[in-house]
Amino acid sequence: AGWRTRVALPPAADVPRLLAAGTALFVNQLFFILGLKVSDPVSGSAWQPTQPIFTMAIAVCCGYERATWRRTFGTVLAVSGAVFMVVCGAGGIAADKATAWAGQLLFFFNCMGTSSYVVLTKDLVARHSPLSVTAWSYMVGSSMLLVVACCFNSVPALLGFVCDDPDREARDACVDNAWRIPITAVGPLCYWIAVSSVFAYAAMTWANRYVRSSVVSVYTVLQPATSALVSYA
């Protein structure tokens, strides 16, 4: 990003907002991963279309957008399908109600993180390249995730939680060598990094430069259908 835009470091005045945007990315990624651990992919995707509501609420509170009946009706209509999926049992592999509620709460914070990122970068993309804003934010978020990963790998109880698996052999292998990436996970991990993270957030940040933040978030309504299609294929 720095090579393309010739701006390697952000101006000091923008650092606090970039730190906040990076923290929002950190919250988004961390709570989504933890949510998948205690819930399932379809439930996680069913939560994603709540982001337009969160984004619009945050944008209105911050003075970036004005709430209107037409805009509110359109947003609620767009997320109604996802709400139906959650309420009517979009899955849930949780063993008990407490775990199920924990999964829903984790996905709630995941969606709030994404919505906050979209709103926080609105001013930044007006002054800087969307690619630079994405790169700076990811540097902050990635640094925070690295610290959390080190903490999880250093605390046996936390490591046992993330390594928990019905397959005892897989669980023991994870606990004994937490930093090892199984060969079968390399492909999905590369896809997550290249497509779900780098490309998706760069595209979302670029779109945020030209349209309202709430409009950017509206397109998350495609996620439940896509996830359900892939999960049941």
Side-chain angles (χ1 to χ4, degrees):
W3 169 80
R4 184 174 178 82
T5 62
R6 300 182 184 275
V7 181
L9 296 174
D14 290 333
V15 169
R17 184 173 285 268
L18 281 168
L19 289 174
T23 302
L25 274 181
F26 162 73
V27 169
N28 162 256
Q29 298 290 329
L30 176 64
F31 284 98
F32 186 72
I33 293 171
L34 294 178
L36 286 179
K37 189 65 185 177
V38 299
S39 189
D40 63 284
V42 176
S43 293
S45 292
W47 262 97
Q48 304 309 305
T50 60
Q51 291 177 30
I53 293 179
F54 297 150
T55 304
M56 186 174 70
I58 296 171
V60 169
C61 290
C62 293
Y64 290 113
E65 297 185 19
R66 183 170 58 88
T68 63
W69 282 108
R70 181 180 176 182
R71 189 177 302 170
T72 303
F73 175 76
T75 302
V76 173
L77 184 64
V79 304
S80 59
V83 172
F84 175 81
M85 290 179 68
V86 173
V87 174
C88 296
I93 54 174
D96 52 61
K97 287 186 176 181
T99 304
W101 277 106
Q104 302 304 321
L105 187 62
L106 290 168
F107 287 134
F108 165 79
F109 284 113
N110 154 243
C111 293
M112 282 295 292
T114 307
S115 296
S116 299
Y117 171 80
V118 174
V119 176
L120 286 167
T121 56
K122 188 63 177 176
D123 281 345
L124 294 171
V125 293
R127 298 190 296 273
H128 306 291
S129 161
L131 189 60
S132 293
V133 173
T134 305
W136 292 330
S137 300
Y138 256 97
M139 287 178 63
V140 175
S142 298
S143 299
M144 291 180 174
L145 283 171
L146 177 60
V147 172
V148 170
C150 292
C151 291
F152 266 73
N153 287 349
S154 302
V155 180
L158 295 176
L159 185 59
F161 168 72
V162 296
C163 288
D164 188 34
D165 193 280
D167 186 343
R168 185 176 181 82
E169 185 177 341
R171 179 189 179 282
D172 292 342
C174 175
V175 171
D176 294 338
N177 195 354
W179 290 104
R180 175 181 172 273
I181 301 175
I183 296 298
T184 54
V186 172
L189 183 61
C190 289
Y191 177 86
W192 188 329
I193 294 172
V195 181
S196 298
S197 296
V198 176
F199 174 75
Y201 274 88
M204 184 170 66
T205 308
W206 177 85
N208 198 27
R209 187 175 192 172
Y210 300 101
V211 298
R212 295 190 307 271
S213 299
S214 56
V215 174
V216 174
S217 295
V218 161
Y219 284 90
T220 54
V221 298
L222 296 174
Q223 292 191 39
T226 304
S227 179
L229 221 65
V230 173
S231 296
Y232 296 118

